[in-house]
Amino acid sequence: MNKIKTMSIYSICHFIVDFVSCLFVLGVAPYFCLNSTEYFAQVIIYNFFAFAFQVPLGILLDKFKIYKYIGILGFCLIGLAYGIGPFNPIILSSIVGIGNALYHLEGGVNAFDKSEGKAFLNGLFVAPRCTSEYS
């Protein structure tokens, strides 16, 4: 039962992280941009840090074996970014993206550890791969 409780908390926080990040991309970022080119630049920067940056961050986490509290740090970075947004939209994009990536890394590691080879808990953070058993 503890596994379900822990992953339920991660799932709720996952919703919050993705919802707030989506609010950034669709609502906050356009508000601070002077034109559509600047908006697209912000979206690309956010996407780079939120998605492509997960791999190098994951390598660093594996190398230094630091997984604990990384998700909380990511959660806090997203909140912090909203406080500094009006001053520099590019920094806002970067911080929200990095926060999103950090949260997903810790959540994914915990889901993987608790999944016991099943898709149920893992599916909260990644799409499970289809094995030849199902093909």
Side-chain angles (χ1 to χ4, degrees):
M1 189 61 182
N2 190 26
K3 180 185 343 182
I4 300 298
K5 183 179 174 182
T6 300
M7 292 316 297
S8 294
I9 292 168
Y10 272 105
S11 181
I12 291 165
C13 290
H14 188 185
F15 169 77
I16 293 167
V17 164
D18 283 351
F19 181 75
V20 172
S21 295
C22 180
L23 281 178
F24 159 73
V25 171
L26 299 177
V28 176
Y31 181 77
F32 294 117
C33 295
L34 301 174
N35 54 48
S36 61
T37 303
E38 193 173 292
Y39 172 66
F40 289 124
Q42 271 194 308
V43 170
I44 290 169
I45 289 168
Y46 163 77
N47 279 309
F48 170 77
F49 283 113
F51 301 108
F53 206 54
Q54 284 185 28
V55 173
L57 281 175
I59 291 168
L60 286 172
L61 295 179
D62 288 340
K63 181 176 177 156
F64 295 108
K65 308 271 187 252
I66 49 171
Y67 307 107
K68 199 171 186 179
Y69 306 119
I70 293 298
I72 293 171
L73 174 64
F75 205 82
C76 291
L77 278 175
I78 292 170
L80 171 73
Y82 279 85
I84 63 167
F87 302 110
N88 191 328
I90 299 301
I91 291 176
L92 174 69
S93 304
S94 303
I95 292 174
V96 172
I98 291 169
N100 190 300
L102 287 172
Y103 181 79
H104 281 84
L105 284 168
E106 183 184 342
V109 165
N110 282 304
F112 182 74
D113 284 347
K114 294 182 184 337
S115 70
E116 300 169 3
K118 298 187 179 182
F120 170 61
L121 297 175
N122 242 355
L124 295 171
F125 289 91
V126 296
R129 68 180 175 87
C130 186
T131 64
S132 59
E133 177 178 281
Y134 302 109
S135 305

